[in-house]
Amino acid sequence: MLNNIARIQRALTQAHLDAILLTDENDRRFATGFPSSDGAVIVTVHQAFFITDARYIEAARAALTGIAQVLLCSREAPMRTLVQGILREANVQILGGEEQTTSYAEFTAYEQLFGLKLQPAQNLIRNLRAAKQPEELAMMYQAQQITDEAFAQICTVIRPGMTEREIAARLVYEMMRRAISLGAEGTSFDPIVLTGPDTSMPHGVPGDRRVAAGDFVTMDFGCRKNGYCSDMTRTVAVGIPTDEMRSVYQTVLNAQLAGIAAAKAGVTGERVDAAARKVISDAGYGDYFGHSFGHSLGLDIHEHPIAAPGVHGRLPEHTVISAEPGIYLPGKFGVRIEDVMHLTADGAEILTRSPKNLIIL
């Protein structure tokens, strides 16, 4: 089972922390590799502890042998009491906490209970999660393979008269059908499927609008492999598109390729975004590209770092980030093309294998 305990312990030492308390579901899964909807993980510089309830205790003890000590919480032994005992036994004086996903009330309650001032330390985990390990990359490639295959199949199904909801449901079915054989475990997010003028809404919700001849159909979807997400968007034409539709599509594709060409480990998110944004602005559509070029993904569908205006931080090696520029003309149509890329010192390796030329169904 993939776990990152040793990496976290090295980071704790470098940050001069005695331990970190993890309650966020995906931070816990990142640390131990074990999925559970509730619980806590404590990583000290020498040990790791996984606290869960009766729903997960048997599976956790079987899976985490040699990785973490597994403790059962109950009414008689609440999670916070167990955490307090671990911290006392380990003589923890400086404890890191998850200030970004823990509420203020919970954060302060932990401090009062433990008699310690929690140090904001979630970026310690976020930075580790940003640079994917080979095993993590392998799972993301497999998740993307499922997504690519589902796209190829949906292109044989879409026809005039289908509703956005019908296409979205079929996409989920196609991903789940493949997930059974490849060991994936669900969608990354609820698919976005839009047609006609609805495609001008970047995050619109599938409804009952029916596909008509001459429409664009935009589909944004993904699945998970061992918790790790895939994500892709394709815009296809049903019937013959207008010259304007073709021109906008080509502009978005050119912008995406420019952003990908600028992307590599060590460059800023702003620089990658700017390379794509310039293509769209030069074509006269700068006012119609309102979101960032890309976001990182992994156990969460949206992670940091991102490629966006004003982001001066350098993108780390082995981050996985989307490449998804778009042009959205209100009341008319929109186009988005999204791939996922793995950043190396030399450039960007594209996980997405689906074609990007304008597909006319």
Side-chain angles (χ1 to χ4, degrees):
M1 173 179 287
L2 173 65
N3 75 86
N4 289 284
I5 298 297
R7 295 177 67 204
I8 295 172
Q9 289 171 329
R10 288 193 293 271
L12 289 174
T13 300
Q14 293 168 0
H16 305 292
L17 294 172
D18 295 329
I20 189 168
L21 171 64
L22 305 176
T23 57
D24 176 81
E25 181 174 352
N26 281 329
D27 283 349
R28 288 186 282 110
R29 185 164 187 173
F30 173 77
T32 65
F34 186 79
S36 62
S37 62
D38 198 9
V41 170
I42 302 170
V43 182
T44 76
V45 293
H46 300 298
Q47 296 174 287
F49 303 85
F50 186 94
I51 303 172
T52 190
D53 59 32
R55 294 172 296 171
Y56 300 104
I57 190 67
E58 184 178 1
R61 283 176 172 161
L64 298 179
T65 299
I67 297 172
Q69 295 184 40
V70 179
L71 304 177
L72 172 66
C73 63
S74 63
R75 290 181 182 177
E76 295 74 24
M79 184 184 75
R80 291 184 180 185
T81 301
L82 294 175
V83 172
Q84 188 176 29
I86 291 168
L87 298 179
R88 186 184 301 113
E89 182 70 22
N91 194 30
V92 171
Q93 302 297 314
I94 307 175
L95 177 64
E98 297 168 304
E99 77 286 357
Q100 297 168 29
T101 55
T102 304
S103 71
Y104 177 76
E106 290 175 314
F107 208 80
T108 54
Y110 286 143
E111 290 184 326
Q112 292 175 6
L113 177 65
F114 304 149
L116 296 170
K117 184 171 179 58
L118 267 69
Q119 304 298 314
Q122 198 150 23
N123 280 339
L124 180 150
I125 300 296
R126 293 293 185 256
N127 291 338
L128 292 176
R129 285 176 57 176
K132 302 299 186 288
Q133 300 298 292
E135 297 92 340
E136 295 173 294
L137 288 169
M139 288 184 280
M140 296 186 78
Y141 269 102
Q142 290 177 49
Q144 192 58 52
Q145 177 187 345
I146 294 170
T147 311
D148 283 328
E149 291 180 5
F151 173 69
Q153 182 61 30
I154 201 69
C155 285
T156 70
V157 173
I158 296 173
R159 63 185 185 277
M162 290 185 73
T163 68
E164 296 167 345
R165 292 179 195 269
E166 287 175 320
I167 298 171
R170 184 61 181 262
L171 265 176
V172 172
Y173 165 74
E174 294 297 342
M175 286 189 287
M176 292 303 93
R177 186 164 69 89
R178 288 162 176 78
I180 292 171
S181 61
L182 293 175
E185 57 191 34
T187 57
S188 303
F189 53 93
D190 292 336
I192 298 169
V193 177
L194 305 166
T195 189
D198 286 357
T199 56
S200 69
M201 298 180 286
H203 273 199
V205 177
D208 295 323
R209 182 181 291 278
R210 296 184 182 276
V211 177
D215 277 353
F216 270 146
V217 177
T218 296
M219 296 168 283
D220 187 344
F221 56 103
C223 72
R224 294 177 183 269
K225 170 70 175 180
N226 290 348
Y228 286 84
C229 298
S230 65
D231 190 6
M232 68 177 286
T233 305
R234 289 294 185 268
T235 301
V236 302
V238 179
I240 304 302
T242 65
D243 289 344
E244 182 184 26
M245 292 166 70
R246 292 178 184 270
S247 176
V248 168
Y249 188 96
Q250 190 60 48
T251 299
V252 173
L253 179 56
N254 291 344
Q256 195 215 35
L257 294 174
I260 290 172
K264 65 178 181 179
V267 304
T268 66
E270 182 176 57
R271 178 178 170 184
V272 175
D273 180 277
R277 199 167 296 276
K278 183 178 187 302
V279 173
I280 291 175
S281 295
D282 288 350
Y285 294 105
D287 292 339
Y288 303 102
F289 176 25
H291 57 75
S292 65
F293 177 79
H295 59 87
S296 295
L297 61 156
L299 287 168
D300 286 309
I301 189 61
H302 288 107
E303 297 186 353
H304 287 279
I306 63 174
V311 176
H312 305 302
R314 298 185 182 278
L315 299 170
E317 188 171 15
H318 303 309
T319 194
V320 175
I321 190 166
S322 67
E324 52 176 310
I327 294 173
Y328 310 94
L329 306 178
K332 297 179 71 175
F333 62 84
V335 174
R336 181 166 67 257
I337 305 168
E338 178 186 18
D339 290 338
V340 169
M341 52 187 180
H342 163 219
L343 300 189
T344 69
D346 299 321
E349 297 177 354
I350 306 302
L351 278 65
T352 316
R353 302 301 186 191
S354 297
K356 293 189 285 193
N357 58 292
L358 178 57
I359 295 174
I360 300 174
L361 304 178

